[in-house]
Amino acid sequence: MQTEEKLEDPLKQDPETAEPLYTSATTEEPPKKKRKKCICLKISSCILLIIILLLIATFMFFALYLFKKRAVKVTASSATVENLSFTIIPVTLDLVMGTDVAIKNPNYAGYEYENTNTTFYYHGIVAGISPLPAGVVKARSNKKIHLSIYMNATTMIGSPFLAGELIAGQLPLTTNTSLTGKVVLFSTIRFHATVVNSCDVIVNLQTQKTSSNCKSDVKLF
Ligand SMILES: *[C@@H]1O[C@H](CO)[C@@H](O)[C@H](O)[C@H]1NC(C)=O
Ligand SMILES: *[C@@H]1O[C@H](CO)[C@@H](O)[C@H](O)[C@H]1NC(C)=O
Ligand SMILES: *[C@@H]1O[C@H](CO)[C@@H](O)[C@H](O)[C@H]1NC(C)=O
Ligand SMILES: *[C@@H]1O[C@H](CO)[C@@H](O)[C@H](O)[C@H]1NC(C)=O
């Protein structure tokens, strides 16, 4: 406002001295335009920043929401019998289970997990443990890890269910894998997420084939 007054006053006072003032005026005009441009730029960049932040927030919300809805699935569904020998009288058992632990990540966010164990239970008793090394499952990808689990015969023979189930020809097992890890967004933002998976596996002793039923649960933060 002050600069405008200064410019107008000399013009009114003397029309003859207008020429040198004009030149000075023309040299003063560009800074005004620059200032307006500056304000415009600041406002538009502010709006752009807000839009970008809103987009990021929306994306993060949906990525996390979907992460919970479409959970990372850890399945030991392809459980196989790698080695099996048993006798009923006396009760002996030698069982090596093989399993392709599949980690499926259907999300738009990656998942980093720590070292864990896949544990096999026989009627609630720990009968086999196999370590699962730490790793990363990228966004929208699958990962398969082969594990061989030597079932503890001592533990299983100690169970009152074994003899009967060997005769029946079916061994029911439960697997449990609890992954502790982080959801990774844009390779930088990390959220704590735990995936707990358990499968009910039935081993058919005659065919040495298995059938399983798995479920996963995700806990964020
Ligand atoms: C499979 O069982 C047989 C007989 O008990 C044994 O000789 C063999 O070493 C076992 N193989 C594996 C890989 O455990
Ligand atoms: C896996 O199981 C072994 C043997 O029970 C144990 O020593 C180890 O701490 C477990 N690892 C994890 C990550 O829980
Ligand atoms: C099997 O289980 C028994 C007790 O139930 C334990 O003493 C033994 O160390 C276990 N064996 C293996 C190889 O883990
Ligand atoms: C599997 O692990 C989870 C978490 O550690 C636990 O809450 C659940 O009871 C376990 N299931 C079995 C059958 O041990």
Side-chain angles (χ1 to χ4, degrees), residues 101 115-119 128-134 145-149 177:
V101 176
N115 283 327
T116 190
N117 283 326
T118 287
T119 310
I129 296 175
S130 183
L132 186 63
I145 300 149
H146 185 81
L147 301 176
S148 290
I149 299 121
T177 310

Side-chain angles (χ1 to χ4, degrees), residues 85-187:
S85 61
F86 65 94
T87 58
I88 293 163
I89 303 164
V91 178
T92 67
L93 177 73
D94 182 7
L95 174 61
V96 183
M97 293 292 297
T99 177
D100 279 320
V101 176
I103 307 174
K104 287 183 187 170
N105 185 7
N107 297 283
Y108 289 96
Y111 185 62
E112 280 177 4
Y113 56 90
E114 295 166 11
N115 283 327
T116 190
N117 283 326
T118 287
T119 310
F120 274 75
Y121 296 89
Y122 179 64
H123 291 283
I125 309 159
V126 176
I129 296 175
S130 183
L132 186 63
V136 181
V137 202
K138 285 178 191 164
R140 302 187 66 77
S141 66
N142 298 341
K143 193 171 187 173
K144 265 188 188 175
I145 300 149
H146 185 81
L147 301 176
S148 290
I149 299 121
Y150 291 81
M151 301 299 283
N152 187 329
T154 316
T155 306
M156 289 182 75
I157 289 165
S159 167
F161 299 97
L162 189 68
E165 285 175 352
L166 288 179
I167 294 164
Q170 284 195 336
L171 286 184
L173 299 171
T174 307
T175 72
N176 200 354
T177 310
S178 175
L179 287 180
T180 307
K182 290 180 180 84
V183 179
V184 189
L185 287 173
F186 313 122
S187 330

Side-chain angles (χ1 to χ4, degrees), residues 32-49:
K32 262 207 277 178
K33 278 186 184 171
K34 266 188 194 168
R35 214 175 290 163
K36 275 188 184 172
K37 270 187 192 170
C38 265
I39 291 163
C40 270
L41 250 158
K42 271 181 194 166
I43 290 168
S44 55
S45 60
C46 261
I47 291 168
L48 201 73
L49 196 74

Side-chain angles (χ1 to χ4, degrees), residues 64-81:
L64 290 177
Y65 176 77
L66 290 175
F67 196 89
K68 190 117 174 84
K69 283 283 163 196
R70 299 187 300 172
V72 165
K73 278 203 171 67
V74 190
T75 52
S77 52
S78 63
T80 53
V81 175

